[in-house]
Amino acid sequence: MVRADFDRSLEELQAELVELGEIVEKAINKSMDALESRDLTMAYEVVAEDDVIDEKRFELEEKCINLIATQQPLAIDLRTLLTVLHIAVELERMGDYAEGIGKICMIIGDDVPMELPKQLPLMAKAGVIMLQGSLKSLVDRDTDLANNVWDSDDEVDELYDGVCRQIFLDMGEHPKTIEASTHFLWVAHDLERIADRATNIAERVIFMVTGRTGRYETTQEGKKSSD
Amino acid sequence: MLDQDPILQTRGLSVYYDTKKVVTDVNLDVARNRITSIIGPSGCGKSTLLRCFNRMNDLIPSARVEGQVMFDGLDLYGHDVDPTEIRYLIGMVFQRPNPFPKSIYDNVAFGPRINGFKGDMDELVERSLVRAAIWDEVKDRLNTSALALSGGQQQRLCIARALAVEPRVILMDEPCSALDPIATLAIEELMRELSEDYSIIIVTHNMQQAARVSHYTAFLMVEEARVGFMVEFGESRQIFTNPEDERTEAYITGRFG
């Protein structure tokens, strides 16, 4: 096998990307745990730990740039590197949303005059599953799985619409909750964006595998069917 | 394959050296006023294929050509075709710059003189040197030896020499492989400019060069059973970002064999 060294670098890069994805996943889960249990220390940790995510994103970016400059990648190699670059940014932004939830948690404190809307943990759970699926589709080069991730976004959008409606109702009926409700709206928005970013990752995986952007249906012939 | 009338077309083109087949059944369309790259591993028949376009293979006694090469509707291998005339219309630039051991001026004027050119020779020489992007470097020393020029300059002089006989197609057989990176970029830049008025076919081992410079790319390959067959042809941007055939992909990503 020629280019064994380059192949190794590409594999390492993807492993690091998956690792970054796992850190982001933990950050999302931890931010929601902090919110649900009103644990301000935990919330503070989420905010502080976002620096690690940012650093890792820039590390990955630098490695991609080095490989592009030194290896002159073409075809699947070029698409892989562009995909890693893109996904690293998506993950970093997902980390920012987790940080945002951590900050909201710190702002609203531990004395909140209302329950956490039940849709929020569901949205977070769905978003994390989408994130996991999108990264698995990357590792397995699985366009079907990437398409499934894409479909799951509808579910999160529905939960988002539902929680918004409920929060608006609460605000009208219980004006005392307006401040907390507004913060929860932001949390809902952050979670909705996390799911969108997972969709973007799935889209990039489809581009990496097929060279095309947009949705893509695979067939038994494999690589080259049209969408 | 193309969105225009090709200037050159091969149909069922095969080439033999004695009984050995070195190009197998190639159907290739060459776009007018565009650059077409032919890439592939050593021994895949790229240069042999290139030489079919101006009948340079006629100069190799053991070479035999089967199939058709059409040049704007003319069968290049037709009985009444004079290969020498074809070589004016379809010029060639070689791997190593090969200026004649004459002055810069005489190198460019050589072809037109043999052709019996009756016009303003000074003007033709200047125009050819300007087109080949070397005029400014040599205008004050046209009567000095061409051999005193640098490799990159010599190659541009050879391009000027090819242009002086007013060809319509320029064939280039690894024109930059003997040049440094800066001289290479100068030739590539020149090729892009020339492609506005000429059709260019380039054989290159340098994939990045094919990707940078050419509009279309043909990938040729060699297997145990078959030699010199075309695996894939397409727009360069597609070939180098998302090739159809996995053999093309393996070759251009350097994972061949």
Side-chain angles (χ1 to χ4, degrees):
Chain A
M1 175 66 94
V2 234
R3 305 199 85 175
D5 195 39
F6 180 40
D7 283 334
R8 206 164 28 246
S9 303
L10 285 174
E11 274 168 31
E12 282 168 11
L13 204 57
Q14 284 174 83
E16 283 177 49
L17 190 69
V18 171
E19 204 180 295
L20 174 59
E22 284 163 0
I23 298 173
V24 170
E25 185 188 321
K26 278 186 194 138
I28 297 168
N29 286 331
K30 197 168 172 179
S31 70
M32 288 305 291
D33 285 348
L35 191 66
E36 284 176 80
S37 59
R38 308 272 191 266
D39 186 333
L40 301 189
T41 313
M42 204 190 272
Y44 177 78
E45 280 170 14
V46 174
V47 174
E49 282 161 9
D50 188 56
D51 289 348
V52 177
I53 294 172
D54 292 350
E55 264 168 42
K56 264 209 113 35
R57 171 242 158 135
F58 285 116
E59 257 172 50
L60 274 164
E61 206 167 284
E62 200 180 320
K63 284 179 183 172
C64 284
I65 290 168
N66 278 340
L67 286 173
I68 289 170
T70 56
Q71 298 288 338
Q72 282 95 44
L74 289 170
I76 180 67
D77 299 334
L78 178 60
R79 300 204 304 272
T80 301
L81 284 170
L82 292 177
T83 298
V84 171
L85 209 50
H86 202 112
I87 293 179
V89 177
E90 299 290 352
L91 291 174
E92 191 258 325
R93 295 294 296 143
M94 287 166 116
D96 288 345
Y97 295 126
E99 182 193 9
I101 294 171
K103 279 182 178 164
I104 288 168
C105 208
M106 287 161 71
I107 292 168
I108 57 182
D110 51 8
D111 183 24
V112 186
M114 67 182 284
E115 287 295 304
L116 186 70
K118 64 180 187 312
Q119 292 95 335
L120 295 183
L122 295 176
M123 285 177 79
K125 198 175 167 196
V128 165
I129 290 171
M130 285 171 72
L131 168 61
Q132 289 166 340
S134 67
L135 291 175
K136 187 168 185 335
S137 75
L138 170 85
V139 173
D140 296 346
R141 306 280 193 270
D142 185 342
T143 50
D144 289 335
L145 180 54
N147 270 335
N148 290 343
V149 170
W150 204 311
D151 290 335
S152 310
D153 193 41
D154 292 344
E155 192 190 317
V156 177
D157 286 346
E158 267 174 41
L159 286 167
Y160 181 52
D161 289 344
V163 77
C164 287
R165 270 197 307 273
Q166 188 201 314
I167 289 175
F168 292 146
L169 276 176
D170 282 351
M171 284 174 162
E173 287 172 13
H174 312 287
K176 275 186 184 165
T177 68
I178 283 180
E179 193 181 335
S181 288
T182 307
H183 290 308
F184 287 146
L185 265 183
W186 272 113
V187 172
H189 171 79
D190 285 340
L191 293 171
E192 193 270 336
R193 295 302 299 151
I194 283 173
D196 278 350
R197 299 274 171 181
T199 312
N200 291 350
I201 294 175
E203 189 179 18
R204 281 293 117 185
V205 170
I206 290 169
F207 164 76
M208 180 181 78
V209 177
T210 68
R212 296 168 191 214
T213 45
R215 291 200 66 129
Y216 184 82
E217 307 298 335
T218 46
T219 67
Q220 287 173 336
E221 283 84 46
K223 201 177 148 190
K224 289 292 163 189
S225 71
S226 90
D227 49 350
Chain B
M1 284 198 283
L2 302 176
D3 56 0
Q4 51 144 285
D5 246 6
I7 189 162
L8 282 159
Q9 242 180 343
T10 73
R11 285 296 173 265
L13 183 71
S14 295
V15 184
Y16 299 80
Y17 292 137
D18 290 320
T19 54
K20 190 171 181 273
K21 210 176 199 177
V22 289
V23 170
T24 303
D25 198 22
V26 170
N27 298 312
L28 173 65
D29 288 359
V30 177
R32 198 180 302 273
N33 295 359
R34 293 281 184 276
I35 302 172
T36 303
S37 285
I38 304 174
I39 60 168
S42 295
C44 75
K46 317 183 279 292
S47 294
T48 303
L49 173 61
L50 187 75
R51 288 198 298 264
C52 288
F53 289 113
N54 70 348
R55 293 190 52 171
M56 291 288 276
N57 288 326
D58 291 16
L59 307 174
I60 302 168
S62 63
R64 182 166 59 83
V65 173
E66 261 179 15
Q68 268 193 327
V69 183
M70 303 300 288
F71 172 50
D72 257 345
L74 170 78
D75 182 354
L76 279 185
Y77 287 83
H79 293 302
D80 50 350
V81 172
D82 176 0
T84 317
E85 276 179 32
I86 292 302
R87 288 176 204 138
Y88 286 121
L89 288 167
I90 305 176
M92 193 150 192
V93 175
F94 297 88
Q95 188 170 355
R96 294 207 149 267
N98 56 351
F100 304 131
K102 292 169 175 292
S103 71
I104 292 166
Y105 186 99
D106 286 343
N107 261 276
V108 182
F110 189 85
R113 274 183 193 139
I114 289 184
N115 263 355
F117 177 73
K118 295 279 189 291
D120 182 343
M121 187 64 86
D122 289 353
E123 192 270 332
L124 177 64
V125 169
E126 176 174 343
R127 178 156 38 101
S128 305
L129 289 166
V130 167
R131 285 304 271 133
I134 191 180
W135 172 250
D136 288 342
E137 292 159 64
V138 300
K139 64 184 178 200
D140 299 324
R141 48 171 171 155
L142 291 175
N143 292 317
T144 59
S145 170
L147 301 179
L149 296 172
S150 72
Q153 289 172 325
Q154 286 187 8
Q155 196 62 309
R156 278 178 286 144
L157 177 66
C158 291
I159 292 171
R161 189 176 63 188
L163 296 178
V165 295
E166 291 173 349
R168 297 185 45 210
V169 179
I170 306 167
L171 309 177
M172 296 184 161
D173 194 353
E174 295 190 48
C176 302
S177 61
L179 305 182
D180 70 38
I182 302 295
T184 296
L185 290 175
I187 298 282
E188 288 177 5
E189 188 70 27
L190 172 60
M191 288 172 71
R192 290 299 284 210
E193 278 170 28
L194 290 175
S195 71
E196 287 171 17
D197 299 308
Y198 306 89
S199 311
I200 297 174
I201 311 177
I202 175 177
V203 160
T204 177
H205 267 127
N206 180 338
M207 233 104 54
Q208 299 298 331
Q209 177 169 62
R212 277 195 299 268
V213 85
S214 64
H215 304 92
Y216 294 95
T217 297
F219 171 53
L220 262 61
M221 218 176 96
V222 51
E223 281 174 353
E224 244 173 68
R226 274 192 304 171
V227 181
F229 64 100
M230 192 164 83
V231 173
E232 187 167 349
F233 172 84
E235 286 190 45
S236 299
R237 61 178 173 193
Q238 175 251 318
I239 296 275
F240 290 105
T241 59
N242 193 19
E244 292 276 338
D245 195 290
E246 57 189 33
R247 292 168 296 183
T248 314
E249 179 140 308
Y251 182 69
I252 65 169
T253 59
R255 293 182 181 79
F256 192 78

